[in-house]
Amino acid sequence: QVQLVESGGGLVQPGGSLRLSCAASGSIFSIYVMGWYRQAPGKQRELVAQIFSGGATNYADSVKGRFTISRDDAKNTVYLQMNSLKPEDTAVYYCKWVASRIYWGQGTQVTVSS
């Protein structure tokens, strides 16, 4: 069964940057949208960014201007470049792809702290 595998999380100081990657372990066809979500302790999971098959993107207001989502279809991978990180960005980040079914990754921890 095809799985999504995230990488790139870690500990970073405020103002720093991280790049998350989410790759499929096999081929997934007819992907409608790829997205990143996050869940902080005690909070609900929320949408961070998404990119549609036509290239359109959508961002949460809290990350606009700081985060950039991109995709490499040849590699079946979606990225999230996170700049100017803040402590409130601390969360587990999950990728979600919507194709003929919904795929979720296992999550990667991002901690922003001095």
Side-chain angles (χ1 to χ4, degrees):
Q1 186 172 351
V2 178
Q3 296 180 328
L4 300 184
V5 180
E6 298 118 333
S7 60
L11 173 64
V12 63
Q13 292 186 341
S17 297
L18 282 175
R19 188 195 196 203
L20 305 183
S21 300
C22 173
S25 61
S27 297
I28 299 176
F29 301 99
S30 301
I31 301 169
Y32 171 64
V33 60
M34 297 173 164
W36 287 95
Y37 290 71
R38 67 186 180 186
Q39 188 166 19
K43 295 188 176 181
Q44 288 189 331
R45 192 170 298 188
E46 62 176 0
L47 173 67
V48 176
Q50 54 189 175
I51 183 166
F52 294 86
S53 56
T57 56
N58 180 42
Y59 295 91
D61 287 343
S62 59
V63 306
K64 282 181 181 177
R66 300 188 297 122
F67 291 11
T68 303
I69 189 170
S70 61
R71 59 193 286 174
D72 185 333
D73 291 335
K75 295 183 178 180
N76 234 10
T77 301
V78 63
Y79 304 97
L80 186 68
Q81 178 66 43
M82 306 186 294
N83 299 327
S84 303
L85 282 161
K86 305 175 181 180
E88 51 264 44
D89 295 318
T90 295
V92 178
Y93 284 70
Y94 300 88
C95 60
K96 173 188 175 183
W97 295 12
V98 179
S100 59
R101 51 156 286 199
I102 295 173
Y103 298 82
W104 282 97
Q106 81 288 351
T108 185
Q109 176 70 45
V110 172
T111 302
V112 184
S113 175
S114 55

